[in-house]
Amino acid sequence: MFGKDARRFAGQISGQVEKLVGDHLSKKDGNRSKTETPTEQLGLVGGKRKALFVGINYFGQKGELRGCLNDVKNIKEFLEANYPLDEVMVLTDDQTDDPDGMPTRANILRGFQWLRQGATSGDSLILHYSGHGGSIKDEDGDEEDGMDETLCPVDYASAGMIVDDEVHAVLVKGLPKGVRLTAIMDCCHSESMLDLPFIYNVNGDLEIVESTKAKGIAKMVATGVRYALDGNKKALMSNLQTGFSSLMNKGGGSGDKNEAARKKTMETRSTEADVISFSGCKDSQTSADATIGGEATGAMTYALIKTLKGTHVMEYTDLLRTMRQTLDGKYTQVPMMSAGRRLNLSSQFSF
């Protein structure tokens, strides 16, 4: 009944309605949503390019996945065709004859150390992870939602998960100025998997204080407008769920505890290097292990490759926006973008 152009038009109109309603509510709210326009520039990439790929299907385990090895294959092929790689490490759980190639806890941490080893200004480091992500109770007070995010190695049941604090300490902390690290985290609960302090919206602004109730109301109003225009029931249910979750203030808010956690993250997780993370979803969400075009794949990795294949010349914020539009109405997850310092990401994307 409704064609592709009608759905695209409905999405654009509902987005404008959501912004207008959100802005109106923000003016009435003392804890209104605030943003900051970042001014720090990305350094130039002219050195070596290293990449670490991690894919885990968890063969024979509870919660076995199907698309993670395909994600590694597809993103690696795309990068090699468009961004020549000088050094590559691949950790996948089909390498049963090579213990060093298995994505165990020890090997993933070793991979993080390998990726950053010897990095100097102008180098580009790339991390792609496709597998399970989890969350556990935060013990050191640096998480606004009270939960630490975790990666699940193939041997997590015996060796344990990798907590986001450890990811940051081993991979991110102390990276030299001028080094660029681009992380693609296609897993559940992944928004703050690198523990980066600066979260971006699709306009390239930093989200400083999130007024979740106002955002929830705005999302639900915009959803009604969209459904009236295109009749997309899947998008209706997905967006209503997102809006209702914000309205009920799950995992958000601007109370004293959250402010303290935000302040601690700013003080302890800011970086001199250009560290940028694209995540498959918000910390409170799950990422889909999907089947698209007859192939098992992570929804976020699929959206990233599809977007970049369309045009290699685009801004970081355009990439985030297009990825979200690709998944909108099909999956509940919302891809996110974060950084280790106040980078101006309304600049041209590049690995």
Side-chain angles (χ1 to χ4, degrees):
M1 179 179 177
F2 298 95
K4 184 184 297 184
D5 291 339
R7 289 194 296 271
R8 185 183 301 114
F9 174 74
Q12 292 171 349
I13 293 298
S14 66
Q16 293 174 15
V17 169
E18 183 175 348
K19 184 178 187 305
L20 289 171
V21 173
D23 289 346
H24 176 71
L25 292 172
S26 292
K27 292 177 182 178
K28 295 177 172 291
D29 185 354
N31 294 320
R32 67 190 182 88
S33 176
K34 300 176 182 178
T35 59
E36 173 185 308
T37 302
T39 57
E40 298 179 30
Q41 300 301 312
L42 281 160
L44 297 177
V45 172
K48 62 185 177 183
R49 187 177 281 120
K50 294 176 70 173
L52 170 63
F53 302 97
V54 182
I56 317 174
N57 275 0
Y58 308 90
F59 295 112
Q61 297 187 45
K62 183 179 180 180
E64 181 175 337
L65 300 175
R66 300 170 302 156
C68 300
L69 301 190
N70 287 337
D71 287 344
V72 166
K73 170 180 156 300
N74 292 335
I75 191 71
K76 182 173 177 288
E77 287 180 353
F78 173 80
L79 286 171
E80 288 175 335
N82 297 281
Y83 300 91
L85 304 174
D86 297 296
E87 298 181 63
V88 172
M89 179 184 288
V90 177
L91 300 175
T92 51
D93 58 347
D94 59 346
Q95 301 186 67
T96 54
D97 294 333
D98 179 11
D100 291 337
M102 289 290 286
T104 62
R105 188 182 196 280
N107 283 345
I108 291 174
L109 292 175
R110 177 177 59 86
F112 290 168
Q113 294 168 339
W114 168 85
L115 185 62
R116 63 173 295 164
Q117 185 176 8
T120 59
S121 181
D123 288 348
S124 174
L125 314 178
I126 303 165
L127 167 65
H128 176 267
Y129 173 90
S130 181
H132 278 308
S135 60
I136 59 174
K137 184 178 179 181
D138 171 42
E139 299 293 345
D140 61 1
D142 66 343
E143 298 284 351
E144 293 179 50
D145 62 356
M147 303 295 287
D148 274 321
E149 281 59 56
T150 62
L151 298 177
C152 300
V154 68
D155 61 347
Y156 73 93
S158 58
M161 297 181 287
I162 303 175
V163 181
D164 54 9
D165 297 337
E166 193 171 9
V167 175
H168 185 93
V170 177
L171 178 63
V172 178
K173 187 176 182 180
L175 275 175
K177 184 176 182 179
V179 172
R180 183 178 303 183
L181 168 62
T182 305
I184 304 159
M185 310 304 291
D186 196 348
C187 56
C188 301
H189 313 294
S190 52
E191 177 182 355
S192 61
M193 193 65 77
L194 269 65
D195 256 2
L196 303 178
F198 301 103
I199 307 298
Y200 290 77
N201 61 27
V202 293
N203 297 318
D205 293 327
L206 296 168
E207 295 284 1
I208 305 303
V209 178
E210 184 177 355
S211 178
T212 54
K213 291 186 178 180
K215 289 172 73 70
I217 294 170
K219 170 63 80 175
M220 294 174 83
V221 171
T223 294
V225 172
R226 177 169 183 166
Y227 183 67
L229 290 171
D230 73 353
N232 188 328
K233 290 184 179 180
K234 287 186 178 180
L236 172 71
M237 297 308 297
S238 170
N239 291 335
L240 283 178
Q241 182 180 12
T242 301
F244 186 73
S245 178
S246 294
L247 187 61
M248 296 304 292
N249 202 25
K250 293 180 180 178
S254 56
D256 292 341
K257 184 177 180 180
N258 288 339
E259 291 294 341
R262 185 180 296 113
K263 182 178 180 181
K264 182 173 182 178
T265 301
M266 293 281 189
E267 292 174 347
T268 62
R269 302 295 195 268
S270 295
T271 67
E272 289 190 346
D274 298 342
V275 183
I276 305 154
S277 176
F278 288 93
S279 58
C281 61
K282 297 182 179 182
D283 282 343
S284 60
Q285 295 180 320
T286 58
S287 289
D289 185 42
T291 300
I292 302 175
E295 180 180 70
T297 180
M300 184 263 193
T301 299
Y302 165 80
L304 175 71
I305 295 174
K306 181 180 179 181
T307 300
L308 290 177
K309 279 185 174 179
T311 172
H312 295 163
V313 182
M314 64 191 319
E315 296 179 356
Y316 280 83
T317 48
D318 289 334
L319 175 57
L320 178 64
R321 179 183 295 107
T322 307
M323 287 169 59
R324 287 182 172 181
Q325 290 173 346
T326 299
L327 300 182
D328 188 27
K330 303 181 183 71
Y331 308 96
T332 58
Q333 66 194 79
V334 180
M336 303 294 292
M337 181 171 65
S338 59
R341 63 190 186 96
R342 293 178 173 86
L343 290 168
N344 178 2
L345 294 183
S346 294
S347 52
Q348 185 172 326
F349 172 81
S350 178
F351 281 110

